[in-house]
Amino acid sequence: MNTKIAWITGATSGIGEATTLKLADNGFDVIITGRRNDRLTALKEKLEKNGIRVLSLCFDVRVEAEVKSAVENLPDEWKNIDVLVNNAGLAAGLSAIQDGDTDDWNRMIDTNIKGLLYITRYVSPLMINRKAGHIINIGSIAGKEVYPNGNVYCATKHAVDALTKGMRMDMLKHNIRVTQICPGAVETEFSIVRFHGDEARAAKVYDGYECLVAADIADCVWFAVSRPPHVNVNDMVVMPTAQASGTLFNRKF
Ligand code: NDP
Ligand code: 8X3
């Protein structure tokens, strides 16, 4: 029962799934969360075959009552959470502000800002009780700079950047590490979600250069997690070699 426990939000796809696999490979038991229960079940079965203990919790991070209930109903043997990876998030749309779809805006704000806040609000007291823990927020290059038509998504990731700094101050006296990891372009379901299922448009985002894969970001999470306890990686910005800013790519065409 001394195995470390990691809670990964958005474990059903992309960076969250890769991070789950990486932490499990390195001996963590995992709490995996997301809204797609079939994917959670498949991941749980795969990990359990390799002897990893898995708790699967299907809920929407936007609904505070669901987040609160998930944490309050954690079985005792799952309460000692060592690592929380706040990964669940999305972009929806890519439009000038005057053309923006306000449903898209609400989804991004509710997921990327409020969802991350709800999870942190209810999980961090469990870490504070033990005077130990590590919170890792998945930010973005979009939280460091703004690009045309990225307005609201960029604002939500700038909020993650600010919240990471604020959390680090609040967690200081509780001995809890707080890290932000800010990827550039990673080929996941991200752009399919952003373009509301338009796979052809999504594929163009990654065309003509070698983008990051989810496992590259999982490696960064593991680097931060595996530092000695006195070392906190504050912030990592990780881009494809072929990307120099939110919009500048070295495409081979
Ligand atoms: P994916 O679309 O592949 O994965 C997103 C994950 O978030 C899914 O597991 C999804 O699970 C979960 N999620 C979304 N909304 C909710 C919700 N309301 N409640 C619970 N879970 C939710 O994208 P990525 O892996 O690329 O994205 C992961 C994070 O990385 C995001 O925060 C994103 O902003 C960030 N990022 C991505 C980059 C990229 O280029 N891909 C670059 C920089 C940052 P489900 O649908 O099952 O609920
Ligand atoms: C996702 C990467 O460049 O679309 O955060 O903002 S980008």
Side-chain angles (χ1 to χ4, degrees):
M1 278 297 165
N2 289 328
T3 311
K4 291 199 166 192
I5 295 174
W7 177 322
I8 303 100
T9 68
T12 56
S13 172
I15 294 168
E17 183 178 15
T19 298
T20 301
L21 296 173
K22 186 76 186 179
L23 294 176
D25 268 357
N26 284 285
F28 275 76
D29 291 335
V30 286
I31 302 173
I32 54 173
T33 73
R35 291 164 302 175
R36 286 171 287 182
N37 205 30
D38 53 336
R39 293 203 185 191
L40 290 172
T41 302
L43 183 56
K44 179 174 158 75
E45 283 171 4
K46 177 174 166 178
L47 291 168
E48 284 178 343
K49 274 188 195 136
N50 294 324
I52 312 295
R53 280 196 326 136
V54 181
L55 179 66
S56 160
L57 300 173
C58 186
F59 66 88
D60 188 327
V61 296
R62 293 173 295 181
V63 183
E64 182 180 1
E66 290 185 19
V67 176
K68 189 167 187 263
S69 160
V71 176
E72 285 178 354
N73 291 308
L74 277 177
D76 282 344
E77 65 270 26
W78 286 100
K79 283 187 174 152
N80 290 348
I81 296 160
D82 297 284
V83 174
L84 167 64
V85 184
N86 274 319
N87 163 76
L90 79 162
L94 186 66
S95 302
I97 203 84
Q98 67 276 16
D99 302 323
D101 178 326
T102 55
D103 288 339
D104 282 347
W105 294 357
N106 287 329
R107 276 172 69 207
M108 290 188 279
I109 291 166
D110 290 350
T111 310
N112 301 356
I113 304 178
K114 291 168 71 180
L116 180 144
L117 280 170
Y118 295 149
I119 295 274
T120 306
R121 171 63 185 84
Y122 293 107
V123 172
S124 62
L126 298 175
M127 293 179 166
I128 289 170
N129 284 342
R130 299 168 56 229
K131 291 255 174 247
H134 194 166
I135 299 170
I136 300 190
N137 294 331
I138 305 299
S140 171
I141 183 61
K144 301 293 185 182
E145 57 181 83
V146 178
Y147 52 83
N149 301 325
N151 41 61
V152 175
Y153 178 68
C154 295
T156 66
K157 289 298 181 177
H158 276 69
V160 173
D161 191 61
L163 287 169
T164 303
K165 291 172 188 153
M167 283 181 198
R168 192 174 303 116
M169 292 170 185
D170 297 343
M171 294 297 141
L172 178 65
K173 64 175 177 289
H174 301 294
N175 191 43
I176 292 166
R177 301 194 285 182
V178 181
T179 296
Q180 177 178 233
I181 296 173
C182 296
V186 189
E187 188 162 10
T188 62
E189 294 175 15
F190 177 85
S191 292
I192 299 172
V193 172
R194 167 170 252 174
F195 298 129
H196 306 106
D198 184 340
E199 295 193 15
R201 188 174 176 199
K204 287 196 185 118
V205 174
Y206 310 108
D207 211 13
Y209 68 99
E210 187 170 357
C211 58
L212 300 176
V213 294
D216 295 321
I217 303 307
D219 285 347
C220 299
V221 173
W222 175 240
F223 178 81
V225 167
S226 59
R227 293 312 85 207
H230 70 287
V231 178
N232 186 69
V233 176
N234 283 2
D235 207 357
M236 291 173 80
V237 181
V238 185
M239 313 270 277
T241 305
Q243 182 181 10
S245 79
T247 52
L248 193 58
F249 292 86
N250 182 23
R251 293 185 200 264
K252 300 292 181 205
F253 54 73

